[in-house]
Amino acid sequence: MITVCILASVRLYREGLRNFLMRNPLISVVGVGSRPEELSAVRPDVLLLDLGVTGRWATVRELRAAMPGTKVVGLGVSGTADSVIACAEAGLSAYLAADGTLEELVAVIERTMRGEILCPPDVTARLFARLGGQDRASPLVGRLTRREREIVQLIERGLSNKEIARTLSIALSTVKNHIHSLLRKLEVKRRTDAVAAVRPRSLTI
C-alpha cells in the first residue's frame, strides 16, 4: 500500500484527486490540505504538491525538511527542460506535466516509489550537459556580485522578494536594492528578463 498526501490550494482540485486515487486498491490517501502545516502530523510515502501553492520552491524545501522520508511529486509543471531541471534542483522526486492525465499520475506515483523518473529526451540531454560541465554561463554573469548571482538563482526558482529575504536572512529592502542593481547592470527591466540574461547557454548535443 502506497500512502499519499495531497497539498493543493484549490479545494475542488485536491478533493477530486483524493476521490480518484482512493479508487486504486494500492493507494491510500492519508492527508489532504491547502497549507503545509495542515499535513505536519502525517508522514506519507508520497506527497503530491500543486506547484500553484504559495512559495513554490521554498515550499518544496520546507516539506522535504519536515518530511525527510517522503517523496515529493510536483503537479502542474510546464514540461520544458528548464522547469523540469528546476524541479530536480529544488528537491522534487518526480513531476507530472500540466497536461498530464489521472492515469499518468498513478504511473508517476508507482515509478516514484520504485525510485524511477521518466524524462523526455531534451530534458535528459540538458541534464547530461549540466552534469558534464557543458553549460556555458553568459558573460553577463561577470557583472554581478556574488550576492546578486544568488538572488538571480532564487528568482529563477520562483521565490518572491520576501522569500528571498527570508532565505538569505537579509532585509527585504536589501533584496530590493540588490534587484535594482542587477537589473541596471544587466540592462533589463524585469526580474524574469534578468534570469534569461544570465541563464547558461547549452551546447548542442
Side-chain angles (χ1 to χ4, degrees):
M1 181 71 69
I2 303 172
T3 56
V4 173
C5 277
I6 301 167
L7 182 60
S9 56
V10 179
R11 180 176 181 178
L12 184 64
Y13 180 32
R14 60 180 181 264
E15 290 187 354
L17 287 178
R18 179 190 61 190
N19 293 340
F20 172 78
L21 292 174
M22 288 298 288
R23 300 174 192 168
N24 190 310
L26 300 180
I27 295 176
S28 175
V29 179
V30 295
V32 177
S34 60
R35 300 187 305 275
E37 54 268 27
E38 295 177 36
L39 304 176
S40 59
V42 292
R43 294 294 181 271
D45 296 318
V46 176
L47 174 67
L48 303 180
L49 173 64
D50 168 22
L51 290 179
V53 171
T54 302
R56 296 196 63 188
W57 308 133
T59 301
V60 174
R61 289 189 291 274
E62 292 171 3
L63 290 169
R64 285 182 55 81
M67 303 177 175
T70 298
K71 299 180 184 297
V72 183
V73 176
L75 305 180
V77 178
S78 69
T80 64
D82 284 339
S83 51
V84 174
I85 291 173
C87 287
E89 290 176 338
L92 290 175
S93 299
Y95 73 96
L96 182 70
D99 60 352
T101 66
L102 291 170
E103 288 73 20
E104 288 172 338
L105 175 60
V106 172
V108 167
I109 292 172
E110 294 174 345
R111 284 199 303 267
T112 300
M113 287 304 298
R114 295 195 298 266
E116 303 171 357
I117 183 170
L118 184 64
C119 280
D122 63 321
V123 176
T124 303
R126 285 288 300 278
L127 285 170
F128 271 85
R130 182 165 298 192
L131 292 173
Q134 294 179 344
D135 279 359
R136 298 177 295 175
S138 165
L140 295 176
V141 173
R143 300 182 183 181
L144 306 181
T145 65
R146 179 183 61 82
R147 179 65 85 189
E148 289 168 349
R149 291 196 295 270
E150 289 177 340
I151 289 175
V152 171
Q153 291 174 348
L154 294 174
I155 291 173
E156 185 173 15
R157 293 179 184 176
L159 272 66
S160 67
N161 287 356
K162 289 183 179 179
E163 291 165 345
I164 291 173
R166 185 165 60 248
T167 299
L168 298 178
S169 299
I170 59 178
L172 177 59
S173 59
T174 302
V175 172
K176 292 179 178 179
N177 289 337
H178 281 308
I179 292 178
H180 177 76
S181 174
L182 67 88
L183 292 178
R184 176 179 53 79
K185 290 178 181 179
L186 299 175
E187 300 178 358
V188 296
K189 296 182 178 180
R190 297 179 300 179
R191 290 158 43 110
T192 52
D193 293 334
V195 172
V198 302
R199 181 176 289 135
R201 298 172 296 172
S202 299
L203 295 174
T204 301
I205 296 180

